[in-house]
Amino acid sequence: LSVSMTGSVSGAIAGALATNDHDAVTTAGFDASSVTSAGNKVDVEALSTTVLDAHPDAVSVALSASFGGVALSVAGAVALNTSNAVISAYARNGSTLSGTAIEIEASDESDATAELVAASISAGLAGASMAIGYATNTLNTTTESYIADSTATATTGNVLIDADATQDISATSRAVSVSIALAGVAGAGAEGRTTINGDVKAYANDATLNANLGDVLIDADSIHTARAVTDATAIGVIAVSLLKAT
């Protein structure tokens, strides 16, 4: 907040930044191993849950209460979320698994929210106001479950190789700029961007899979939801608003 009572310039600047950087590897598996469970199943699970939130807000107010005074106000806010993750469940490199059932499962649940408000207000005989907001979410994930160069035998149940991913991300950017002046200029710009780069894989490679009394099941499922919302409002004698959502 800036206030000028003389014939001079009143200026106010506000800025806010919130960032989250997430890098993770989650693995569970057998590598060149021999495992026997005579009366129970052999179960390999790699599970990952990620929650990212970035919520910066910036408010700038400049007032000039004198004849000939100029009020200048600028507000900017940036929210950034980035996640890089690998989730892997496996049996590989000559492993031998035997049990009533064999289950190799990898699962990822990711939730990321980037939301901001940038507000700028100027008031005087002459004034200019600018508000800028930028929100972005980027997820780069690989979820994989596999049996490679190995043997798996289920004596009574199923051989299951399963990979699941549920990813929900949103970017919301709101900018409000108001210039209350006889000669006032207001500008507002908002951008929201969401990106999901996801690989979900379930497979067998050079493997022997035996389900004596059950089934061999290989399944990969993914649910991706991405939302980008922008809202820019500019009020003044001359007013410009710019929006971009991707």
Side-chain angles (χ1 to χ4, degrees), residues 33-61:
S33 302
S34 179
V35 179
T36 299
S37 179
N40 293 288
K41 68 180 179 180
V42 177
D43 189 8
V44 179
E45 290 185 331
L47 309 177
S48 174
T49 300
T50 302
V51 178
L52 302 176
D53 288 296
H55 295 278
D57 294 324
V59 179
S60 175
V61 180

Side-chain angles (χ1 to χ4, degrees), residues 7-228:
S8 60
V9 176
S10 174
I13 298 176
L17 171 65
T19 65
N20 287 307
D21 291 311
H22 172 258
D23 295 284
V25 176
T26 303
T27 61
F30 295 111
D31 197 334
S33 302
S34 179
V35 179
T36 299
S37 179
N40 293 288
K41 68 180 179 180
V42 177
D43 189 8
V44 179
E45 290 185 331
L47 309 177
S48 174
T49 300
T50 302
V51 178
L52 302 176
D53 288 296
H55 295 278
D57 294 324
V59 179
S60 175
V61 180
L63 305 175
S64 179
S66 65
F67 182 79
V70 178
L72 303 175
S73 178
V74 177
V78 177
L80 305 174
N81 284 324
T82 303
S83 178
N84 301 295
V86 176
I87 302 93
S88 182
Y90 57 82
R92 65 189 184 190
N93 293 333
S95 292
T96 301
L97 310 182
S98 179
T100 57
I102 308 296
E103 297 180 358
I104 312 294
E105 299 174 281
S107 176
D108 172 50
E109 293 185 9
S110 298
D111 190 326
T113 302
E115 185 173 354
L116 64 87
V117 175
S120 177
I121 301 173
S122 67
L125 183 65
S129 178
M130 176 66 71
I132 299 173
Y134 178 71
T136 181
N137 264 323
T138 302
L139 295 184
N140 303 305
T141 62
T142 297
T143 306
E144 61 180 359
S145 179
Y146 63 92
I147 297 176
D149 303 310
S150 299
T151 299
T153 301
T155 56
T156 59
N158 299 327
V159 175
L160 172 64
I161 304 173
D162 183 59
D164 299 296
T166 301
Q167 294 158 344
D168 190 331
I169 67 174
S170 65
T172 302
S173 178
R174 292 185 170 90
V176 179
S177 177
V178 179
S179 179
I180 304 172
L182 295 178
V185 177
E191 181 174 355
R193 182 186 298 269
T194 57
T195 303
I196 296 177
N197 299 310
D199 290 327
V200 183
K201 299 181 287 186
Y203 63 91
N205 182 37
D206 195 18
T208 300
L209 309 180
N210 302 307
N212 295 340
L213 299 177
D215 298 316
V216 175
L217 306 172
I218 300 177
D219 182 60
D221 298 296
S222 64
I223 299 175
H224 302 303
T225 303
R227 298 175 301 279

